[in-house]
Amino acid sequence: LDAEFIKEVVPLHTKSGVRFLPAPQHLEEAEQITAEQYQTVLGALRDEFGTIVIDATHTINDILLTSLDMADSIIVVLTQDIPAIQNTRVLLDLLSSLKIPKEKITLVMNRYDKRISITSEKVGDSLKMPMEFSIPLDDKIVLTSVNRGLPFMLNPVNEPVVQQVQNLAMAISERLENK
């Protein structure tokens, strides 16, 4: 996989400047990808691009395990509901069993609504890890963005949801630079 081929098959989102590799359109295509093939592609992408973000599946499989193994940083995103918190506990236990250091893991509360009694602090205490970031609930901005196919990060910076995602990105970037 050479650089020219990668740039050819990894499209550029012109408004954001971000390249993305979409998931296969059909489930049967995804099932044909082996962990070894995935590792080769991920390695080539790492060589070509400074930062790679993987929006991983909730299913634990060889592809997810390969992603976790190759990751410099793991951002675990959860919401303020009991099933999400329980699933996060299962994932954290898996990461611990895989000997992935806690320093690589960042917990992020998404769609945080301060009106709900399940606070970031309580969840962090329950999971025995700090909730480092809380992205506020803002359906107006986020859903509009999703429906238009435009990243909400292109919106004005004074929106709390935009500021928190920027803070998260900066913190992860600084952490990776200081490795």
Side-chain angles (χ1 to χ4, degrees), residues 110-152:
N110 194 24
R111 303 185 79 220
Y112 181 69
D113 186 344
K114 54 185 160 195
R115 299 171 299 180
I116 296 176
S117 64
I118 301 174
T119 66
S120 291
E121 294 77 20
K122 288 179 184 176
V123 174
D125 290 346
S126 169
L127 296 173
K128 296 177 179 53
M129 278 190 75
M131 189 67 56
E132 293 187 49
F133 294 90
S134 294
I135 311 298
L137 174 67
D138 192 332
D139 284 342
K140 181 180 177 196
I141 288 178
V142 176
L143 290 178
T144 300
S145 170
V146 169
N147 290 333
R148 290 186 180 162
L150 296 171
F152 66 81

Side-chain angles (χ1 to χ4, degrees), residues 1-10 21 33-49 52 70:
L1 299 174
D2 65 9
E4 281 304 309
F5 177 73
I6 289 172
K7 287 184 178 169
E8 207 174 290
V9 298
V10 181
L21 183 61
I33 299 170
T34 66
E36 293 77 22
Q37 291 168 328
Y38 181 77
Q39 185 173 15
T40 299
V41 170
L42 195 53
L45 292 171
R46 278 183 105 169
D47 292 343
E48 187 60 30
F49 303 108
I52 299 172
M70 293 180 74

Side-chain angles (χ1 to χ4, degrees), residues 28-42 61-64 66-67:
E28 60 273 6
E29 292 172 350
E31 291 174 346
Q32 293 174 2
I33 299 170
T34 66
E36 293 77 22
Q37 291 168 328
Y38 181 77
Q39 185 173 15
T40 299
V41 170
L42 195 53
N61 58 26
D62 288 344
I63 300 293
L64 176 63
T66 299
S67 297

